[in-house]
Amino acid sequence: MTKESRLEALHRALLAEAGQPVLFGDLVRAVWGDEPPAGPLPALRSLVRRLRQSVEDEIVTDASGYRLVVRRPGPAQLPADLPDFVGREDELAALSSSDAPVLAITGPPGVGKTALAVRLAHRVRDRFPDGQLHVDLRGFATGPAVTVEQALGRFLRALGVPPANVPLDRDEQIELYRAKLRGRRVLVLLDNATGLSPLVPDVEGCKAIVTSRNELPEQTRLDVLADDEAGALLDRLKIDGTADDRAELIRLCANLPLALRIAGAHLADRHLPDYLAELRGDGRLDALEIEGDAAVRAAFALSCGALPADARRLFGLLSVHPGTDFGVRSAAVIGDLSTEDSTRLLDVLVRSGLVEQTGERFGMHDLVRLFASEQAGSGGPPALRRLLSFYLATARHAAELVSPAVRRLDPLPLDLEGREFATAAQAQAWLDSKRVVLVAAVQVAPHPFASHLADSLRGYLNYSAYRSDLGTVMAAGLASARESGDTAGETAMLNGLGHLHWMRGAFAEALESYGAALELSPSDLMRSALLNNMGLVKRETGDLSGALEDMEQARQVQHGDTTLYGTVLSNLGTVCGARGELRKAVAHFEEALRIWEVNGFQVKIAVTHEELGVAHIELGDFDGARRHLDAAWAGYQEAGMGESRPNVLANLADLARKTGDPQQERAWASRGLEQARKIGDVRAEVEVLIRLDELEAAVELADRINYPVGRRKAQLKLARHDPALAAELLRDVRDNGDLLLESKAVLALAEATGDAAVAQEALELAKAREQGAVVARAEAFLAAQPPANGGSTSS
């Protein structure tokens, strides 16, 4: 067979059993038949590596074979097509036949840009089998616009990138976005853009449709509907009348689709001549400066004026909602209504044409929302306060379930109670569904709602890896707190920004933010939390002495907060472990474990068992390590987190290797790799790749995510057969003060060079730090060396 046909044969064999592991031997036979190569498994591994680069499907390594996971269907985000769309056939024909990578549709508000763009997207969607992306950028809305970073984050997640893998840097987001689109045919619909942006794919095979009120290159500029097209729209809206009356309605609505639709909804049960008489009135002349607003305002004023008083009131108040759409419950809070009344009045507003309904969600055109805001009057600020009170109360309760260990600002007195949830899963689901609205709410909220809502969202956005949103809410909350002189709020926001910088690997900026917060900190508990965080950053940068000093001070400063005290103890244990002080690490972990057990913190119990398991592996106490790692795994399973903790599988694989069970090692590691990729835990992916001996891949991935400890662990294995790499690794370990790896790096140099004196140095280092596993390996190496004189005897 040719190399190409071997790839095809391998792909066919895996595809035939998609989702199921195919044994190594079966794959070798499928590829090479009765003439396997001399080294079938290395040859198969090489072929699999090439296949992974040539297909989109995921190929997972299992204990006894490989498993193919078929690529999921692409995103399908297009809004529903308008059933009453008419006209624009010339524009549709030209746009749908264009080969241009960007189709720009521009024009004044209300002229039907979005309707045309959506119709066009549905017409050409079959040409883009890999999916369609859509975002309303809100470039001309009264509330906050969607930033390029926020939109890129949403697109990347829709393209299969786990939240934790979405870069924080805008240029890196753009690069990854285009990389995910490369080789695919994807349609991107960008509605209400202020201009062209990096959201335009600029990738062969992909196309963007962009709508804007602004002038754009190579644009299709929409004018109002032609008379015959406007007449066809009236037919679709079932508006009867004489030819003259219909023509006058079209003229008074300035041939604008939005105005005609609002008028059509208003005319559902009215006589056209009566409506025309009202439309001719002076109210139509009360125009805004935006082109076309006179017609829309006239239709709006009549429809609004015909509403019952309670529906008219709710219509005006709905303009305070910060998101693109809203539900029945949010509308009830805004209007201070029961759910039943909210449902009834929304139905009235939908029938009037002023509110649009899609499924269970409701929204308003930007112009209609602007007009609604003029009707809100003095009721607007109280309505916004009610909504923010509801969102803040609900978000805080949800966050306490989802991220209970995060310290938060003291709660505000609120006008309303929020929703309550029975489980963390329910709370997470609500936060996921409301995330976009909550981020927008922080940006429009007055003080102190902005900083308190940002603070409530901080832990959720952090743990869920919505980093762009975290940056947005922290910046908005910080500005609000500083403007109002709220020291506690400013401290909390600086703490959140410190977390964000830490996740980005911007350690200097993280320490700067934490340090600024520490100077402002109003309480010992917050000072302790900040010192703990600073210690963690210093641990990451290799400043273990600084980390130890900060964490010891954090332990002394805090008073009476059990959760914080236990957290500091656990982190102290990790620092002591990195310093090679394994007995101290175990003592800290055991004290923390007692705290968690007394307080019933199930997840923290499991985490601490895992930390103890790792420490006992280093000590060479494999029975103790197994006891703790088994307890950790059982605890995660009991807490429903078994699928989200792949790192414990890497540690179980490590223990299996050290106890001489390579088959179990590979089974644990293969399972860990699958879970790490499934949830986007890239650090855990590095760890399990090391256990699977995929060392080059582990080094590359560790460098890409700025994970030097993972890189060194992978290089440690490679260095055993490469003296130059072993010497370079040892310098790196010592330069960065990684004392736990030092003895291992020295032993790797000994193994690479066969130098017994270097092995003796490794043995002494390992004994001093009680690294029993390294001691055993160093002693085995030395025992295998011939005597110094080469073992010869005289005759």
Side-chain angles (χ1 to χ4, degrees):
M1 287 188 179
T2 66
K3 289 184 179 179
E4 288 75 19
S5 64
R6 284 179 185 146
L7 275 181
E8 292 169 359
L10 176 60
H11 194 204
R12 279 198 304 272
L14 289 167
L15 197 58
E17 301 290 337
Q20 300 298 320
V22 184
L23 297 177
F24 295 128
D26 291 344
L27 290 173
V28 169
R29 282 188 290 274
V31 173
W32 286 281
D34 295 330
E35 300 180 0
L41 289 183
L44 179 63
R45 195 157 47 238
S46 175
L47 203 60
V48 167
R49 189 178 296 115
R50 292 184 56 226
L51 185 61
R52 281 175 171 149
Q53 296 170 351
S54 63
V55 299
E56 289 289 336
D57 300 331
E58 182 182 6
I59 301 172
V60 177
T61 304
D62 279 317
S64 56
Y66 293 101
R67 176 164 49 90
L68 182 140
V69 180
V70 177
R71 185 182 65 179
R72 291 176 294 182
Q77 297 184 339
L78 293 183
D81 201 359
L82 279 176
D84 57 6
F85 183 89
V86 298
R88 309 296 192 195
E89 286 304 325
D90 290 343
E91 292 90 343
L92 272 171
L95 289 165
S96 60
S97 63
S98 173
D99 292 329
V102 181
L103 305 177
I105 301 171
T106 64
V111 79
K113 300 182 295 297
T114 298
L116 174 60
V118 171
R119 171 56 59 95
L120 172 63
H122 280 280
R123 179 171 289 193
V124 302
R125 68 181 299 170
D126 289 346
R127 304 177 199 171
F128 301 93
D130 293 312
Q132 306 86 39
L133 298 168
H134 165 259
V135 64
D136 180 356
L137 294 168
R138 294 175 55 81
F140 308 95
T142 54
V146 175
T147 66
V148 170
E149 291 83 357
Q150 287 174 314
L152 281 169
R154 296 179 201 177
F155 282 179
L156 287 170
R157 288 187 287 273
L159 291 167
V161 179
N165 289 14
V166 175
L168 277 169
D169 181 77
R170 174 170 162 156
D171 290 340
E172 291 180 9
Q173 286 183 346
I174 295 166
E175 182 181 351
L176 180 58
Y177 172 53
R178 291 175 179 164
K180 295 297 292 184
L181 293 177
R182 216 162 275 128
R184 299 186 181 187
R185 300 186 62 81
V186 174
L187 180 66
V188 181
L189 174 53
L190 307 173
D191 200 13
N192 292 310
T194 55
L196 299 183
S197 74
L199 296 171
V200 173
D202 194 24
V203 171
E204 184 179 356
C206 297
K207 189 184 290 287
I209 301 173
V210 185
T211 74
S212 181
R213 296 182 193 177
N214 297 337
E215 301 280 329
L216 296 178
E218 307 298 325
Q219 66 188 8
T220 296
R221 185 79 181 172
L222 291 191
D223 199 352
V224 296
L225 293 174
D227 287 345
D228 59 338
E229 292 175 329
L233 179 55
L234 294 185
D235 291 339
R236 291 283 182 90
L237 297 172
K238 299 180 181 179
I239 297 177
D240 296 324
T242 66
D244 289 344
D245 284 347
R246 284 164 54 97
E248 186 176 5
L249 177 62
I250 292 169
R251 179 179 61 80
L252 290 172
C253 287
N255 291 60
L256 279 169
L258 177 60
L260 286 166
R261 284 195 173 92
I262 294 174
H266 192 57
L267 277 164
D269 56 359
R270 295 200 56 194
H271 191 46
L272 179 54
D274 293 341
Y275 182 76
L276 289 173
E278 295 180 42
L279 202 56
R280 295 186 199 106
D282 292 340
R284 185 180 175 279
L285 300 177
D286 183 19
L288 299 178
E289 296 179 358
I290 303 174
E291 177 185 356
D293 275 350
V296 178
R297 177 181 286 276
F300 154 76
L302 286 180
S303 290
C304 186
L307 291 172
D310 50 0
R312 187 164 59 249
R313 171 183 171 274
L314 177 61
F315 173 66
L317 297 181
L318 287 173
S319 64
V320 307
H321 193 276
T324 55
D325 58 12
F326 49 87
V328 169
R329 188 158 191 170
S330 295
V333 171
I334 288 170
D336 196 16
L337 303 165
S338 67
T339 303
E340 292 76 13
D341 284 342
S342 174
T343 302
R344 175 179 58 81
L345 294 178
L346 284 172
D347 183 57
V348 172
L349 294 174
V350 169
R351 285 188 279 109
S352 75
L354 297 170
V355 168
E356 302 161 354
Q357 182 175 8
T358 303
E360 297 182 353
R361 307 300 297 168
F362 302 85
M364 292 189 287
H365 188 281
D366 289 345
L367 278 183
V368 177
R369 182 188 289 267
L370 179 62
F371 296 145
S373 68
E374 299 173 1
Q375 312 302 309
S378 61
L384 179 60
R385 183 180 177 88
R386 283 194 299 273
L387 182 67
L388 293 173
S389 291
F390 173 73
Y391 279 158
L392 176 54
T394 308
R396 185 176 180 103
H397 172 66
E400 287 170 348
L401 289 173
V402 170
S403 49
V406 175
R407 293 204 56 77
R408 297 179 181 85
L409 291 166
D410 292 337
L412 284 179
L414 298 172
D415 297 347
L416 292 177
E417 295 181 356
R419 288 186 59 181
E420 293 196 354
F421 306 99
T423 65
Q426 292 175 358
Q428 177 85 30
W430 184 86
L431 288 166
D432 287 342
S433 68
K434 291 292 185 182
R435 175 176 54 83
V436 174
V437 171
L438 293 171
V439 170
V442 175
Q443 294 173 269
V444 302
H447 186 76
F449 286 102
S451 54
H452 277 258
L453 186 52
D455 187 57
S456 292
L457 295 173
R458 175 169 55 88
Y460 158 71
L461 294 173
N462 180 15
Y463 293 133
S464 301
Y466 291 112
R467 295 167 180 172
S468 178
D469 288 340
L470 179 59
T472 297
V473 300
M474 288 295 107
L478 180 61
S480 173
R482 280 179 170 166
E483 184 177 346
S484 304
D486 179 359
T487 302
E490 185 176 355
T491 303
M493 298 302 98
L494 286 168
N495 185 32
L497 284 171
H499 279 298
L500 185 63
H501 292 313
W502 179 15
M503 287 190 296
R504 291 178 55 202
F507 299 127
E509 291 89 340
L511 289 173
E512 182 180 352
S513 290
Y514 288 140
L518 190 62
E519 291 183 6
L520 294 170
S521 178
S523 72
D524 283 344
L525 282 177
M526 178 56 83
R527 284 179 55 78
S528 181
L530 289 163
L531 286 164
N532 174 73
N533 294 341
M534 293 174 73
L536 289 172
V537 175
K538 290 177 181 177
R539 183 191 67 185
E540 292 284 325
T541 60
D543 180 9
L544 297 181
S545 296
L548 187 64
E549 181 180 347
D550 284 344
M551 287 182 181
E552 286 288 7
Q553 190 177 349
R555 181 165 62 157
Q556 294 166 12
V557 167
Q558 73 82 35
H559 297 291
D561 188 291
T562 303
T563 302
L564 180 56
Y565 184 62
T567 300
V568 173
L569 282 173
S570 290
N571 291 332
L572 263 173
T574 64
V575 173
C576 289
R579 285 166 55 89
E581 299 170 338
L582 293 169
R583 294 296 177 185
K584 282 187 179 180
V586 168
H588 288 314
F589 292 145
E590 288 178 343
E591 187 178 355
L593 182 61
R594 287 192 290 272
I595 292 172
W596 305 142
E597 288 175 340
V598 167
N599 289 276
F601 291 167
Q602 187 176 5
V603 173
K604 286 187 172 291
I605 290 171
V607 170
T608 309
H609 273 301
E610 185 179 356
E611 290 168 333
L612 279 164
V614 173
H616 281 279
I617 288 176
E618 291 291 340
L619 288 166
D621 175 12
F622 299 139
D623 289 339
R626 187 180 309 282
R627 184 174 67 255
H628 285 295
L629 289 178
D630 286 346
W633 180 242
Y636 290 139
Q637 298 282 45
E638 187 177 347
M641 297 180 63
E643 295 294 312
S644 64
R645 306 296 298 200
N647 209 67
V648 71
L649 297 170
N651 291 320
L652 284 164
D654 195 28
L655 178 61
R657 168 172 291 207
K658 287 181 168 61
T659 53
D661 190 348
Q663 185 175 358
Q664 185 62 58
E665 175 197 10
R666 190 161 194 88
W668 283 124
S670 298
R671 189 172 177 183
L673 182 63
E674 180 181 356
Q675 289 188 10
R677 287 175 171 168
K678 181 178 179 181
I679 68 170
D681 189 337
V682 191
R683 288 194 177 193
E685 184 176 349
V686 171
E687 296 288 345
V688 289
L689 284 171
I690 294 169
R691 274 65 173 189
L692 289 166
D693 290 326
E694 298 279 352
L695 303 175
E696 293 88 351
V699 170
E700 179 184 352
L701 185 57
D703 281 340
R704 179 160 64 81
I705 64 169
N706 190 25
Y707 182 32
V709 172
R711 172 176 51 76
R712 293 180 198 125
K713 287 180 180 178
Q715 288 177 329
L716 199 61
K717 284 190 172 184
L718 291 167
R720 293 171 185 170
H721 310 288
D722 185 336
L725 177 59
E728 178 186 346
L729 174 62
L730 182 56
R731 285 194 297 271
D732 181 32
V733 166
R734 284 176 167 163
D735 287 346
N736 286 277
D738 195 338
L739 301 181
L740 195 63
L741 279 185
E742 184 182 13
S743 62
K744 300 177 185 179
V746 173
L747 182 56
L749 180 60
E751 291 168 334
T753 59
D755 192 324
V758 175
Q760 187 66 39
E761 180 187 355
L763 177 61
E764 297 305 320
L765 283 171
K767 283 182 176 179
R769 291 165 188 163
E770 298 188 68
Q771 292 177 274
V774 182
V775 168
R777 208 172 88 231
E779 288 177 339
F781 175 86
L782 288 167
Q785 300 305 301
N789 63 5
S792 61
T793 59
S794 60
S795 56

